[in-house]
Amino acid sequence: TPDSGDAKNLRIKLVLLGDSGVGKSCIVLRFVRGQFDASSKVTVGASFLSQTVTLQDTTVKFEIWDTAGQERYASLAPLYYRGASAATVVYDITNVESFQKAKFWVKELQKHGSPGIVMALVGNKADLRVDRAVNVEEAQAYADQNGMFFIETSAKTADNINELFESIARRLPRGPG
Ligand code: GDP
Ligand code: MG
């Protein structure tokens, strides 16, 4: 869209869904702090971290919810993603089971998520491609069928981490004007 001249500031709740161990917390820490800690512990607390992405005329402040437990207690998940305008559903490219679980979360979001929620399908641990178990083509096709954006990332090498959040930011509705 042409530059309207007036900058916008958006504050967006973003949730991460996906199996335990796929790298959700590492993605957040890479994005927010630029760090990767291979010995990172299971998710800390229930608060959120925030980070800002600046597009041409819009500043998007992501409030990223990364609470532990949503993986195991599916019944709690609707509370977790209530009010979320964006969701990333993460799997591990070396783990087929985590891809099946990602599909489960996509269906949950379609049933219970906010209308118009921007969803990204994220194949993490792309640095481990020698052990790849999920094809790019299969994941891309699934994402296309479900109106999602697809990307492979590595929290370890930082590959595509900023691109993930920038792509979500670009897909957010901007509202009137
Ligand atoms: P979560 O349970 O989904 O939050 O997963 P974590 O972020 O705690 O990560 C689980 C494990 O995967 C940790 O041992 C991380 O070091 C490792 N991990 C996370 N992201 C990557 C990645 O991109 N590449 C590799 N090789 N390991 C990763
Ligand atoms: Mg975690």
Side-chain angles (χ1 to χ4, degrees), residues 91-96 123-137 150-161:
Y91 66 92
D92 169 350
I93 69 157
T94 72
N95 180 334
V96 173
N124 190 44
K125 307 196 187 183
D127 58 289
L128 300 179
R129 56 179 63 81
V130 290
D131 296 320
R132 173 185 293 282
V134 182
N135 290 330
V136 171
E137 294 75 15
F150 169 65
I151 192 167
E152 288 192 348
T153 59
S154 170
K156 185 173 183 179
T157 66
D159 199 31
N160 273 348
I161 297 293

Side-chain angles (χ1 to χ4, degrees), residues 20-21 23-26 41-44 66-68 71:
S20 182
K24 300 182 298 299
S25 298
C26 287
K41 309 292 177 305
V42 173
T43 304
V44 217
D66 179 35
T67 56
E71 300 104 334

Side-chain angles (χ1 to χ4, degrees), residues 19-86:
D19 243 354
S20 182
V22 297
K24 300 182 298 299
S25 298
C26 287
I27 288 171
V28 176
L29 289 179
R30 173 59 84 183
F31 176 54
V32 173
R33 301 209 180 121
Q35 297 171 348
F36 178 77
D37 179 359
S39 65
S40 71
K41 309 292 177 305
V42 173
T43 304
V44 217
S47 64
F48 60 82
L49 291 171
S50 64
Q51 178 64 292
T52 298
V53 167
T54 304
L55 301 177
Q56 204 164 14
D57 58 349
T58 308
T59 299
V60 179
K61 183 179 182 185
F62 284 111
E63 295 178 346
I64 306 170
W65 291 65
D66 179 35
T67 56
Q70 50 83 11
E71 300 104 334
R72 264 151 290 175
Y73 306 107
S75 61
L76 291 179
L79 288 172
Y80 173 71
Y81 50 72
R82 175 173 297 164
S85 306

Side-chain angles (χ1 to χ4, degrees), residues 75-145:
S75 61
L76 291 179
L79 288 172
Y80 173 71
Y81 50 72
R82 175 173 297 164
S85 306
T88 66
V89 179
V90 184
Y91 66 92
D92 169 350
I93 69 157
T94 72
N95 180 334
V96 173
E97 208 175 285
S98 75
F99 183 59
Q100 298 309 324
K101 199 62 184 287
K103 294 179 180 177
F104 165 82
W105 287 116
V106 170
K107 291 196 192 86
E108 282 292 299
L109 283 166
Q110 287 169 342
K111 271 187 267 178
H112 305 298
S114 314
I117 189 169
V118 174
M119 295 194 289
L121 180 66
V122 179
N124 190 44
K125 307 196 187 183
D127 58 289
L128 300 179
R129 56 179 63 81
V130 290
D131 296 320
R132 173 185 293 282
V134 182
N135 290 330
V136 171
E137 294 75 15
E138 186 184 356
Q140 180 71 64
Y142 181 78
D144 290 346
Q145 283 157 22

